[in-house]
Amino acid sequence: MLRHGLGGLIDRGRQFLQRTMQAASVPFETPALRFARVREDERHHLVALLRDFADNGSVLVVPWDALPQVVAMSARDAALHTAIAEAKAVTPDAIRSVMTSLAASGALGAEAQARQAAKAHVESQRQTDMQAILLFHLLRASGADLAPLLADPTGSSAAARREVQRAAASLRIGRRDIYRRAVDLTCAVLPVGSPPNIGPPRPGWLRLLSNDVSAFGAKVQAHGAKALPEAAYHLGALANDISSVMDVSRTVLHAIDGALEDIRATIRGGEAEFLLIRRAIDRLSWTLDGWPAIVDTGREILAGPAGEAVDRLLLLRRLLPSMPERDEFAVPGLAAPALRKLLS
């Protein structure tokens, strides 16, 4: 009964954090900073929220500039700490950009630099592939015969130009705008990638992370079905939290995939539609922020001794990321029906 009461306190505490401490996770490697987050602060510009500080689930709020005096950092973490302050990075995307820049510069070591170079090459190829997939999907949906375009991907032949012109007339936009908007749409959806029903699947990092969280949720449910009562209670609560995250994730992905399937309407809408897609992806990025560390820790717990599971699961639940409020990401008045419904 006591642990059930603690579960209620955890839920109320998380609701409080959601209202007052929306902050982005920082991928520090120092154990004391494993669940650290950063947010803006009126007095100190930036503050660090040290979740699970002292291994008891507590949250210590520290001015960002003072963090190196509170926790001894590795050279990697010190470079990340400085870069976040310089960039004033307080969103998941901004922190991801900081990490990418640091790795590419060699500030995180030669191995990280090599991994980033390989990753950048793969991402560049994926972007090129996605752009071709979306462009051909748009032309096909607009009545163009793809055979001349497949025979001449440069679009320089008279037959290829004629088919592009036919698509442009159907879309009622300029021929050059077709390519420009296809490029802009590709950049907008790159974090989630393209759905499999419009061409070869090219999943982005957010779609892959969503799949990872979903798989972890299934593993939690399976363990809960055979666990002892106290552990089963926390596993059930954890599974419910993951289910809530996945509801948002699937809704966002479904809406974006719908916008890509109905690509004619999306391309005709232009920047207004692309803005809405970017805002939906931003919502997904916040929803999944911090979950890689939760999934890794959760898997360690499930693979560890059963006698330690209850206390560690209780702590893990206190560390779960808070969900962003729906109205924080509402963008009224834009045209795509599925996305407007999602964000209204």
Side-chain angles (χ1 to χ4, degrees):
M1 293 299 294
L2 176 60
R3 294 195 183 277
H4 288 217
L6 286 174
L9 289 174
I10 290 169
D11 293 336
R12 290 192 291 276
R14 287 179 57 217
Q15 290 169 7
F16 171 78
L17 284 174
Q18 179 172 326
R19 291 192 302 271
T20 62
M21 290 188 171
Q22 183 66 55
S25 64
V26 183
F28 287 127
E29 65 180 7
T30 304
L33 300 174
R34 186 174 186 184
F35 294 98
R37 289 178 170 264
V38 61
R39 66 173 171 87
E40 291 181 303
D41 181 78
E42 291 182 359
R43 289 183 56 200
H44 303 288
H45 304 296
L46 297 181
V47 295
L49 307 179
L50 305 186
R51 306 183 72 181
D52 191 29
F53 195 74
D55 296 323
N56 61 4
S58 61
V59 179
L60 179 65
V61 181
V62 180
W64 192 257
D65 290 343
L67 190 58
Q69 284 74 56
V70 175
V71 179
M73 297 182 182
S74 65
R76 171 198 177 277
D77 284 357
L80 177 56
H81 173 267
T82 299
I84 287 175
E86 291 175 348
K88 295 181 173 59
V90 292
T91 68
D93 285 349
I95 290 175
R96 184 176 173 84
S97 178
V98 165
M99 285 293 296
T100 298
S101 297
L102 284 174
S105 71
L108 303 183
E111 290 185 8
Q113 188 176 32
R115 287 195 302 270
Q116 180 56 41
K119 181 179 177 181
H121 176 74
V122 170
E123 280 296 286
S124 176
Q125 186 59 55
R126 188 172 70 86
Q127 182 170 351
T128 299
D129 292 346
M130 271 193 59
Q131 184 176 307
I133 290 168
L134 294 181
L135 188 55
F136 279 112
H137 174 52
L138 173 64
L139 294 173
R140 182 173 56 244
S142 301
D145 180 1
L146 297 187
L149 293 164
L150 292 172
D152 176 26
T154 65
S156 58
S157 70
R161 289 199 303 271
R162 187 165 53 247
E163 293 307 319
V164 173
Q165 188 61 50
R166 177 184 299 179
S170 173
L171 288 164
R172 299 190 297 278
I173 62 176
R175 181 162 57 90
R176 291 182 178 178
D177 283 339
I178 289 181
Y179 180 77
R180 179 181 60 79
R181 294 190 188 188
V183 171
D184 290 346
L185 178 59
T186 301
C187 293
V189 301
L190 202 59
V192 299
S194 58
N197 54 341
I198 67 170
R202 295 292 185 270
W205 71 271
L206 275 174
R207 194 184 297 267
L208 294 174
L209 176 55
S210 176
N211 293 342
D212 203 28
V213 174
S214 179
F216 174 60
K219 184 172 289 189
V220 168
Q221 283 188 316
H223 275 73
K226 57 187 180 182
L228 294 174
E230 285 188 307
Y233 170 76
H234 291 298
L235 287 167
L238 178 57
N240 287 336
D241 288 320
I242 295 172
S243 178
S244 296
V245 170
M246 293 312 302
D247 283 345
V248 174
S249 179
R250 292 189 185 103
T251 300
V252 172
L253 289 172
H254 179 73
I256 292 172
D257 290 350
L260 294 180
E261 290 167 14
D262 189 13
I263 195 169
R264 283 170 54 82
T266 302
I267 288 291
R268 275 201 300 261
E271 182 56 32
E273 299 299 329
F274 305 159
L275 171 63
L276 189 53
I277 288 172
R278 286 192 289 267
R279 292 298 295 274
I281 291 175
D282 190 39
R283 172 172 172 76
L284 181 59
S285 180
W286 273 109
T287 299
L288 295 176
D289 184 47
W291 276 93
I294 292 294
V295 170
D296 288 345
T297 303
R299 285 172 175 160
E300 292 173 7
I301 294 171
L302 296 182
E308 300 177 5
V310 173
D311 289 336
R312 296 188 70 191
L313 285 169
L314 178 62
L315 178 57
L316 183 67
R317 289 187 58 209
R318 297 179 66 179
L319 295 171
L320 292 183
S322 57
M323 297 265 291
E325 294 288 349
R326 177 179 291 266
D327 60 4
E328 290 179 16
F329 297 89
V331 185
L334 298 180
L339 289 169
R340 187 174 66 243
K341 181 178 179 181
L342 167 67
L343 295 175
S344 62

